[in-house]
Amino acid sequence: MLSRLSRPRVLALCGAPALALFAVAAFAPLPYVLAQPGSTANVLGADKGEPVITITGAPVRETAGELRMTTIVATGPSVDIDLGQVVDAWFRTDRAVMPKDAVYPSGDTDAEVEKHNVAEMEQSQETAVDAALDYLGKSPDQVKVDLNLADIGGPSAGLLFSLGIVDKLDGDGSGGDLTGGRTIAGTGTITSDGKVGPVGGVPLKTQAARRDGATVFLVPEEECSQARAEKPEGLRLVPVTTLKDAVRALVALEKRSGKVPSC
């Protein structure tokens, strides 16, 4: 025999499955990665007591100021992210939510990702040396450059490595420092012929840069809009497409002459 149910009881019975599904969704792992601003490192300085840049075969300048490469920290491919974490990150400017398959190839383990990142950093260092020496017209057969930066992977420090080498060997080209004594930060891949490429995570990297004292941030030109959208107060964004662009912009800032591009 069927009995008539009151409206509140009907709503309660119908809502129970929806609440159950929501509860499951809230704790089910989602295909996302959470990222936040990471560390920065001054490529003109030392890392764990060892110079980041060591040059032999050519006179090396004493430098002032800092050139800081920037990083982000992201959860690994084996870390499960739930709905609550995604919602929390969505409303924070110091967090970013990214599709896992856009950050890590499908099936990669934490160990495989670390190995891949180390390989990319090593390749980036070699390319950065080639770009800097080519820009300065120096032969790699005569000038040897060793780069040392532990615990950081990926290719995004290429531009800053190249600038550090240029500053140590040539400065601004007329006896001054490329930094003008400032704390300069930035990001960008680099090719052997000096082309600067995008890297991702720029809004988080600008936050790391400002946190660590930078007043100028060199950003790959095609990522200007991303950087500008969440630019920290007091940080000047300078777009670059080549190593030559970056050097020219820094010299113009240092000498307070010439046009300095802006995002």
Side-chain angles (χ1 to χ4, degrees):
M1 182 176 179
L2 298 177
S3 60
R4 179 173 296 180
L5 297 177
S6 65
R7 179 179 176 83
R9 185 169 176 77
V10 170
L11 292 175
L13 290 174
C14 292
L19 288 174
L21 287 172
F22 182 81
V24 170
F27 295 100
L30 299 174
Y32 296 111
V33 167
L34 299 183
Q36 64 187 66
S39 62
T40 70
N42 176 24
V43 301
L44 297 176
D47 179 55
K48 296 184 177 179
E50 297 291 330
V52 175
I53 301 174
T54 301
I55 300 173
T56 55
V60 178
R61 302 176 60 257
E62 289 291 331
T63 58
E66 298 182 351
L67 285 169
R68 289 195 164 271
M69 56 82 64
T70 54
T71 68
I72 62 172
V73 177
T75 53
S78 65
V79 176
D80 290 335
I81 304 300
D82 62 40
L83 180 61
Q85 291 172 299
V86 170
V87 172
D88 176 67
W90 190 264
F91 291 99
R92 296 178 58 169
T93 59
D94 62 343
R95 296 289 188 275
V97 180
M98 297 177 285
K100 183 177 288 188
D101 57 7
V103 180
Y104 303 118
S106 179
D108 277 358
T109 65
D110 289 356
E112 289 171 335
V113 168
E114 182 177 359
K115 182 178 179 180
H116 176 72
N117 285 343
V118 169
E120 281 198 320
M121 171 60 89
E122 291 174 350
Q123 181 58 52
S124 173
Q125 290 177 342
E126 293 176 9
T127 305
V129 172
D130 291 342
L133 295 183
D134 180 67
Y135 171 80
L136 294 171
K138 296 185 179 295
S139 170
D141 296 327
Q142 296 173 324
V143 180
K144 301 298 181 185
V145 181
D146 292 316
L147 300 176
N148 169 60
L149 192 58
D151 304 324
I152 293 177
S156 65
L159 171 61
L160 271 295
F161 280 136
S162 290
L163 288 171
I165 296 167
V166 170
D167 200 15
K168 283 184 173 290
L169 286 173
D170 195 50
D172 66 358
S174 58
D177 290 297
L178 199 54
T179 63
R182 298 178 177 86
T183 296
I184 308 291
T187 191
T189 63
I190 200 160
T191 62
S192 296
D193 59 354
K195 292 184 176 66
V196 176
V199 292
V202 167
L204 297 177
K205 291 181 178 181
T206 59
Q207 292 181 46
R210 191 70 187 104
R211 178 199 66 207
D212 291 353
T215 55
V216 175
F217 191 90
L218 302 174
V219 57
E221 187 175 50
E222 60 188 275
E223 293 181 303
C224 256
S225 59
Q226 296 177 38
R228 189 172 57 244
E230 297 183 32
K231 182 180 76 71
E233 186 177 350
L235 189 67
R236 182 173 186 171
L237 300 176
V238 177
V240 296
T241 58
T242 66
L243 175 59
K244 186 176 181 180
D245 285 345
V247 173
R248 185 186 295 119
L250 292 180
V251 170
L253 280 170
E254 183 232 343
K255 295 183 178 299
R256 301 178 186 276
S257 63
K259 183 178 179 181
V260 179
S262 180
C263 284

